[in-house]
Amino acid sequence: MIRKIAIIAPEFTEKKILNVPWRQMFEIAKFLSTKNIEAVIFTEKECPTKIENISIIKLNEKIIRELSDESKMKIESIKPDLIYWMGNTFSGIYMSKNKFKIPLIMHISSVHLINKELRNFSLKEIFTNHKMWLFTSFYPMYRIVSKLNHQNITAIISSSKTISERLEKVGVNNSKINTS
């Protein structure tokens, strides 16, 4: 039975609660508390230690990707039954370094762009905001997304059917993917 969940929410702040996907993480934490499941949110940003009775713990990371041993110990110290990690289609790259003996569910809320869709952006937009999508939209680089198959990731929850279909198309095991 699950009693406690660690939610890893990169860039989570009190102000970002108004925006998706941080709003989703916060609402999940609030919902779980109504079911007597404690949810603790971990972020690398400065934040109050509690927001609406949800505990927030700051990790000493510049960005949350490959966690330091200190951050892993902070997460494990609350003794979660499950880790719910807010990631993206490239999260599989660093998950091999984040080994936990706790089941880890990856939440993906952004769609992996394909090269046809990149035509909708100007070159300036691509090179300013979407460089990684540019490189990974072409073979063989798009295979990076299939690293979400890593054994450290127990399951993947995607925010839409489109995201799920794209993940499958580039090689993510469909038995791991659940669409919310």
Side-chain angles (χ1 to χ4, degrees), residues 58-120:
K58 184 180 184 302
L59 298 175
N60 295 327
E61 303 286 341
K62 197 172 190 176
I63 51 177
I64 295 180
R65 288 201 179 106
E66 193 174 315
L67 298 176
S68 65
D69 289 339
E70 177 188 350
S71 291
K72 289 178 195 172
M73 285 175 43
K74 268 188 183 181
I75 294 165
E76 290 172 343
S77 73
I78 68 158
K79 297 184 177 22
D81 301 305
L82 177 72
I83 296 173
Y84 193 79
W85 192 305
M86 187 175 87
N88 60 42
T89 55
F90 312 119
S91 296
I93 295 170
Y94 50 85
M95 291 317 293
S96 63
K97 307 282 191 223
N98 293 319
K99 294 182 179 162
F100 291 97
K101 293 180 181 170
I102 305 160
L104 186 144
I105 296 174
M106 182 67 61
H107 180 97
I108 307 289
S109 61
S110 59
V111 70
H112 174 70
L113 297 177
I114 54 177
N115 55 12
K116 290 189 295 192
E117 293 167 328
L118 289 171
R119 295 181 197 144
N120 297 326

Side-chain angles (χ1 to χ4, degrees), residues 10-48:
E11 300 181 25
F12 182 90
T13 64
E14 192 169 20
K15 287 182 182 178
K16 285 197 175 178
I17 290 175
L18 300 174
N19 304 321
V20 172
W22 300 277
R23 182 86 197 159
Q24 291 171 319
M25 296 301 110
F26 189 68
E27 290 299 325
I28 287 169
K30 284 179 21 180
F31 173 77
L32 291 170
S33 71
T34 68
K35 303 295 181 194
N36 293 321
I37 299 171
E38 183 183 355
V40 178
I41 296 176
F42 290 86
T43 183
E44 78 282 18
K45 299 294 185 183
E46 292 298 326
C47 207

